[in-house]
Each structure stands twice: as structure tokens, then as C-alpha cells.
Amino acid sequence: MEQLYKENAKIVYHYLWSLCHDPDLSEDLTQETFLRAYQSLERYDNSCKLSTWLCQIAKHLYYQWLAKNKREIPTEPPSGPCTKPRPEDACLSRLELLDILKEMQRLPGQMREVIYLRISADLSFREIGEILGRSENWARVNFYRGKEMLIKAARAAEQEDV
């Protein structure tokens, strides 16, 4: 079980973080995910990757948490540390990232999930489709459409700045 945790905890945590943007909640739900997985390991049928199965458990736990707490998905994008050495570069990068994250929050829920899973968890379209209960092609199309919407929004923002 320890090996299972070491290999998959980061993926599950990032997936949950992409849903809730709350590091504490993501950590709690990650722990709960592995507890539930341990309790139902005999039901895992190898029909998908283990990480996909764990993310499905995590998603259900998150939705249960939302229902229990009657809370909506946050609209504020998370903030992260600046990694560029020059302050003006770091500020510009941060502003660009915030703009992209704000635009991503405007995307329809599952389209936003597809993009987060693809980018933050580096999952394949097949895995994303399995997690969300859809087809691989559906995940591909939603990623492409979401990416196109983000590009259009970025171009519109550039036009306004000029």
C-alpha cells in the first residue's frame, strides 16, 4: 500500500487541487482517497490504470464533500511563488498566469476539468475520459475547444491593451 501511495499520491493531490484550489482540502481528500482505495482494493478490476481509478475515487469524495458542505467551486485562481529572477519578469508572468486561470474559470465545468487534468496531472485523454466517465474522443474535443476559447480570450485581451 505504501508503494501505491508513493506512486500515485502526487497525481491524486494535483487532481483534487485542480478541482478545489485548496491545498488543505486536497491533502485531506488525498488521504481519504487512499483509505477508501485500501478498503475496496479487491474491487479494482484492472480495466483502467490504477491512477485513473484513484482519481475517480477522489472525484467522488470531492463531490460528496461539496454536497455535505454545500459549497461551490471557488472562482479565485490560486497564487503560486514567482520563479523568475527579475522582479518585473516575475510580475508579468504572474499577471499572465492569473489572466489565463481567470479565463479557465469561465469555461464550462467539465471542459475546465479536462484542461486541468491534462496540464497539471499530465494524464492522457483516455485516462481523462475514464475519470470523467466519458470517451477519449470527448476529452480530446473538450480540451481542444477549451484551448481555442482561451486563445480567443487572450487575443481579445491583447486587442484591448493596444
Side-chain angles (χ1 to χ4, degrees), residues 1-155:
M1 189 65 186
E2 186 177 335
Q3 185 66 22
L4 173 76
Y5 182 83
K6 284 180 181 178
E7 291 173 0
N8 296 287
K10 193 172 186 178
I11 292 170
V12 172
Y13 174 84
H14 285 292
Y15 173 64
L16 286 164
W17 183 85
S18 75
L19 294 175
C20 68
H21 305 295
D22 181 339
D24 295 329
L25 178 60
S26 298
E27 183 64 36
D28 291 345
L29 291 176
T30 298
Q31 297 301 320
E32 182 68 21
T33 297
F34 281 93
L35 175 63
R36 295 276 176 95
Y38 177 74
Q39 292 170 342
S40 61
L41 200 53
E42 71 280 352
R43 290 191 310 217
Y44 175 64
D45 61 2
N46 288 324
S47 64
C48 62
K49 282 180 65 175
L50 191 57
S51 60
T52 302
W53 181 67
L54 291 167
C55 285
Q56 289 173 333
I57 294 171
K59 178 180 75 169
H60 291 293
L61 286 171
Y62 176 64
Y63 288 157
Q64 288 173 354
W65 183 87
L66 282 176
K68 182 179 176 183
N69 294 289
K70 296 186 183 356
R71 194 172 146 198
E72 293 183 20
I73 295 173
T75 57
E76 288 298 311
S79 58
C82 295
T83 57
K84 302 242 180 185
R86 295 181 3 182
E88 59 273 13
D89 290 342
C91 185
L92 287 173
S93 290
R94 186 173 170 91
L95 289 173
E96 289 169 359
L97 176 62
L98 287 174
D99 288 342
I100 291 169
L101 290 171
K102 284 179 186 176
E103 285 303 319
M104 284 180 70
Q105 289 300 319
R106 292 185 184 137
L107 295 174
Q110 286 197 323
M111 186 178 288
R112 183 176 57 240
E113 275 188 86
V114 169
I115 292 173
Y116 279 131
L117 287 172
R118 183 70 177 168
I119 294 170
S120 67
D122 197 30
L123 297 177
S124 70
F125 291 114
R126 183 182 55 77
E127 292 169 326
I128 294 168
E130 288 174 2
I131 289 170
L132 298 176
R134 301 293 184 110
S135 70
E136 176 181 348
N137 193 45
W138 176 90
R140 253 181 229 289
V141 168
N142 271 277
F143 181 79
Y144 176 78
R145 288 180 182 165
K147 187 173 70 170
E148 289 298 309
M149 291 171 76
L150 291 173
I151 290 169
K152 284 181 186 176
R155 287 183 181 150

